[in-house]
Amino acid sequence: MAVRTDLALELAEGRRVQQRTQTLEGFSLHTVTVTESDTDFGRPPGRYATLSIRNLLRRETDAFPRACRAVAQILRQLAPSNQDPRAPVLVIGLGNRAVTPDAIGPLCCQNVLATRHLVEQSPEQFRAFRPVAVLAPGVLGTTGVETGELVLGVIDRIHPELILAVDALAARRLSRLMCTIQMTDTGIVPGSGVGNARTALTQTALGVPVLSIGVPTVVDGATLATDIAQQSGAQCEALDDLNTPVLVTTRDVDQQTADAARVIGYGINLFLHPSLDIADMELFLS
């Protein structure tokens, strides 16, 4: 049975691919670089940065602002180096707000400063802000419109020069749920984390550079059972019952999803508006 994961960190286990581990703002950061020659990796060439935020879940002192700064620093490293820092940006929160493990994207949008209208209407007062538009397009089942179609329509109207897409992912290990943030410069496939993949949001498809940010909120039940069976050396007849996908998540998924979405949203704000700090954002978003 195929192992399912969206994390490059897990896909890289046992493979000869370029990897690096370091500490950033007190958090562990693992970077996987996939090249054109890594044809068996199963993911597009690019950089995959995986930040572990377990310190935040343990409520360590200053863990929240440190996590936000770490997200911002990684996004700066992944963003195109030749881009105008005043160019418009579109932030897309992918997923279904009504399904908690799939709500990372929409919840993140609530924590991102939408400034495009302010910069256009009062450029003098808001000259310190980058024009940012925020979109939570919902899912095909409730809108009847493909996310890719909606995004292309918005791009045609506002002409962003960078897109940030936030979505839920699937992990292989339970220990990585809700405490891992993967950021990459390769784009994303909406719905991949909950087994309902749609049209890819990539630079090739949209004509705009796309940075994707994802949090693993579920583990595929069959993947989990397969790992347990392999590690124990026992035969697992229950695997035959997992032909229909079963997703496993954490007991505190509601609070953990909200916490992760807030970290990502504030990190995006720090990346796009370097002159702001956490206190400023608390004021604007209150």
Side-chain angles (χ1 to χ4, degrees):
M1 184 173 293
V3 171
R4 177 182 167 200
T5 179
D6 294 316
L7 297 181
L9 170 66
E10 294 180 332
L11 288 170
E13 293 176 358
R15 296 176 183 263
R16 303 185 74 176
V17 63
Q18 184 179 339
Q19 303 181 59
R20 179 188 180 193
T21 301
Q22 63 189 110
T23 300
L24 180 63
E25 292 285 349
F27 299 96
S28 174
L29 173 63
H30 189 97
T31 304
V32 176
T33 302
V34 181
T35 65
E36 295 285 353
S37 62
D38 298 318
T39 54
D40 64 337
F41 191 75
R43 289 294 183 275
R47 293 170 291 172
Y48 298 79
T50 305
L51 184 71
S52 174
I53 56 171
R54 288 191 180 89
N55 316 43
L56 181 66
L57 295 183
R58 293 195 294 264
R59 296 295 190 266
E60 290 187 6
T61 303
D62 293 333
F64 175 72
R66 288 189 288 110
C68 296
R69 291 195 297 269
V71 169
Q73 289 182 50
I74 296 168
L75 292 176
R76 289 190 192 105
Q77 294 169 6
L78 293 174
S81 58
N82 60 347
Q83 193 165 79
D84 180 0
R86 301 291 302 164
V89 175
L90 173 62
V91 179
I92 306 170
L94 303 166
N96 190 340
R97 191 185 303 270
V99 179
T100 303
D102 195 31
I104 283 281
L107 289 175
C108 176
C109 285
Q110 297 177 6
N111 294 284
V112 176
L113 295 173
T115 57
R116 175 175 171 266
H117 59 302
L118 300 174
V119 174
E120 289 185 351
Q121 294 171 6
S122 305
E124 286 303 315
Q125 289 95 325
F126 295 96
R127 60 180 177 273
F129 291 87
R130 188 170 183 172
V132 178
V134 181
L135 174 68
V139 293
L140 180 64
T142 58
T143 66
V145 183
E146 279 275 9
T147 297
E149 295 174 331
L150 285 170
V151 172
L152 283 170
V154 174
I155 289 173
D156 186 55
R157 296 291 297 179
I158 70 173
H159 307 293
E161 294 192 18
L162 179 66
I163 292 176
L164 303 178
V166 184
D167 201 6
L169 305 177
R172 178 176 183 172
R173 311 289 184 198
L174 286 172
S175 59
R176 293 196 171 100
L177 291 187
M178 312 308 303
C179 63
T180 305
I181 302 175
Q182 177 175 272
M183 288 162 274
T184 176
D185 56 5
T186 63
I188 197 168
V189 179
S192 61
V194 292
N196 189 26
R198 313 306 304 181
T199 304
L201 302 182
T202 63
Q203 181 169 1
T204 301
L206 303 179
V208 181
V210 180
L211 303 184
S212 69
I213 309 166
V215 175
T217 60
V218 295
V219 172
D220 177 66
T223 296
L224 178 61
T226 299
D227 277 350
I228 293 173
Q230 290 176 346
Q231 291 174 24
S232 65
Q235 296 295 320
C236 186
E237 297 179 2
L239 285 175
D240 297 332
D241 298 329
L242 293 174
N243 292 326
T244 300
V246 175
L247 301 177
V248 180
T249 190
T250 64
R251 180 183 61 183
D252 301 324
V253 62
D254 300 72
Q255 184 60 54
Q256 291 172 345
T257 299
D259 289 345
R262 186 165 174 255
V263 167
I264 294 171
Y266 277 50
I268 289 174
N269 291 332
L270 290 176
F271 161 53
L272 297 176
H273 312 290
S275 62
L276 295 182
D277 58 26
I278 299 295
D280 294 328
M281 280 177 271
E282 295 281 7
L283 178 62
F284 283 119
L285 293 168
S286 61

